[in-house]
Amino acid sequence: MMRPFLEECRRVTRSCIAAISKVVKRCIISCKAMIYALHPKARERVTQDKSVDSATRVSRIRKIYRARKTFVVVVSALLCVLILIVAVSAFTGISNRHRAASTRAQSAVSTSAASQSSTPTQTEESSASATQSSSGSSSVLTQQQRDNIAAQALKTAQASGKTLHQYRYCVSGKGNVGDTQVFENAVFSILNSTQGWPRAGATFEYIAHESSSSSSADSSTQCDMTLIMAEASTMKSFSDGCSEDYSCRVNDEVIINLDRWNSATSDWLNAGGTVERYRKLVINHEVGHRLGHLDNEATCSVSGGPAPVMQQQSISLRGCSPNEWPLDSELWIS
Ligand SMILES: [Zn+2]
């Protein structure tokens, strides 16, 4: 029973091999004929070959022309296919980029609307609109929400067992940054978060500028610090030590670079951070300076652990993971 089956297998294998080698041989012969036919002097050689009669010569010359024609057709077809592939992949690439851009825009808008910290979102129209357009009414905290956040912050500060510090802060803008109301809402939520500086005993009260009368000057003198949303090009006007690439703190001025607010930094994003988290980081870090902290006082205790908020995470994570809140070891105010 087994033997005939094996015999049959061998026979099929042999005929397969024979068929394949036949095809290969034919291919080789065709290639050789094609190469011969494509030679510029092929026709001349056939014409001068006196060993065959004229009918054979004519037949060979016809074969040469046929081979050349086939070659031209095949090459043209291949070129057409190649052009088609390039065109399709270019078109697919463009439509993917469009899709990705619109998805980003949509997610940015929904993030802004859903965000508890009510942070503004960059739009493509202009940098000024970053603090305006996507900040619909849902991005602005109600008085009730502000009261709740402030109450939680105070509770956290009291529970910390540390000396209580209440900071009054003002908010302003410099350059083409639009309305700063949404920025202020974000600042209020971030600074008074139960994950933030309240754990070191700090709470933050917003002192609003009055737009009329003499109280504008008065309110600024009441501020322990002013958080300024600044257009990148204005950063140097605060201090030579400030960079157009980053945010900065100069005495009681905490200056947030609009470009960084809108798009974070590539190091931060590459390490897995998001723009929304970066906004918390930059507020906590720069205000951390105002509370007495220095850059890079510490690094993460274990490789891959959360980076201290005072580490310059905008520049490098140094092997730590992105972190926007002060670590336990950073919970002090000088
Ligand atoms: Zn710093």
Side-chain angles (χ1 to χ4, degrees):
M1 184 69 185
M2 200 66 184
R3 191 168 282 274
F5 175 72
L6 284 175
E7 281 299 321
E8 184 63 15
C9 284
R10 276 197 204 108
R11 197 187 62 75
V12 170
T13 312
R14 269 198 301 274
S15 48
C16 280
I17 290 169
I20 290 167
S21 61
K22 207 169 166 185
V23 170
V24 171
K25 267 182 201 164
R26 279 191 174 220
C27 283
I28 292 169
I29 290 167
S30 301
C31 284
K32 273 184 178 172
M34 182 70 82
I35 291 164
Y36 178 81
L38 290 176
H39 194 282
K41 290 189 174 171
R43 188 178 180 281
E44 206 177 319
R45 279 180 197 158
V46 173
T47 316
Q48 287 168 359
D49 186 1
K50 303 296 177 197
S51 63
V52 291
D53 58 23
S54 64
T56 311
R57 278 203 293 276
V58 169
S59 153
R60 283 184 182 176
I61 287 168
R62 275 191 189 140
K63 275 184 187 169
I64 286 171
Y65 283 131
R66 225 174 11 244
R68 286 179 178 178
K69 216 185 280 176
T70 309
F71 178 77
V72 169
V73 169
V74 169
V75 168
S76 306
L78 284 176
L79 273 177
C80 286
V81 170
L82 200 69
I83 289 167
L84 203 67
I85 289 171
V86 170
V88 166
S89 58
F91 177 75
T92 314
I94 289 167
S95 58
N96 280 349
R97 273 199 296 280
H98 272 286
R99 240 195 326 271
S102 70
T103 307
R104 269 202 303 280
Q106 277 173 6
S107 81
V109 170
S110 59
T111 302
S112 175
S115 164
Q116 192 228 342
S117 60
S118 311
T119 51
T121 305
Q122 184 180 27
T123 65
E124 291 180 1
E125 290 78 31
S126 75
S127 58
S129 64
T131 49
Q132 290 178 321
S133 68
S134 61
S135 60
S137 57
S138 62
S139 298
V140 177
L141 297 168
T142 63
Q143 192 53 49
Q144 181 64 49
Q145 286 172 318
R146 293 180 78 95
D147 291 346
N148 287 343
I149 291 168
Q152 287 297 319
L154 183 61
K155 216 163 128 184
T156 304
Q158 286 168 338
S160 71
K162 299 174 192 291
T163 309
L164 296 185
H165 294 265
Q166 195 187 27
Y167 293 94
R168 293 159 304 171
Y169 71 89
C170 294
V171 165
S172 67
K174 184 148 189 180
N176 183 24
V177 297
D179 187 359
T180 54
Q181 187 189 14
V182 174
F183 172 63
E184 188 285 314
N185 275 255
V187 167
F188 183 80
S189 299
I190 294 165
L191 288 181
N192 286 306
S193 167
T194 54
Q195 292 174 276
W197 291 116
R199 293 175 64 224
T203 55
F204 300 85
E205 182 193 356
Y206 174 50
I207 307 295
H209 279 282
E210 298 295 333
S211 55
S212 59
S213 80
S214 60
S215 57
S216 177
D218 293 341
S219 65
S220 63
T221 57
Q222 291 167 10
C223 302
D224 296 312
M225 67 183 94
T226 299
L227 283 97
I228 304 164
M229 174 58 79
E231 198 180 348
S233 59
T234 68
M235 291 302 293
K236 286 270 183 194
S237 67
F238 295 95
S239 161
D240 281 343
C242 294
S243 154
E244 291 189 2
D245 296 325
Y246 299 106
S247 299
C248 194
R249 196 275 311 205
V250 180
N251 300 321
D252 291 337
E253 293 183 318
V254 175
I255 308 126
I256 305 301
N257 186 319
L258 179 66
D259 284 356
R260 296 288 70 75
W261 182 261
N262 282 332
S263 54
T265 66
S266 53
D267 273 84
W268 169 269
L269 296 174
N270 290 340
T274 63
V275 171
E276 195 186 347
R277 289 180 62 196
Y278 184 86
R279 291 171 178 176
K280 297 181 174 97
L281 164 72
V282 76
I283 295 289
N284 285 324
H285 177 97
E286 299 303 339
V287 170
H289 282 308
R290 175 62 184 77
L291 304 188
H293 290 264
L294 301 174
D295 276 326
N296 304 317
E297 295 163 333
T299 185
C300 49
S301 46
V302 288
S303 178
V309 80
M310 295 313 298
Q311 183 178 317
Q312 289 181 303
Q313 298 179 50
S314 299
I315 299 170
S316 171
L317 268 296
R318 301 180 177 195
C320 310
S321 59
N323 168 49
E324 62 272 45
W325 302 112
L327 298 180
D328 288 351
S329 58
E330 297 180 290
L331 298 178
W332 54 265
I333 294 168
S334 67

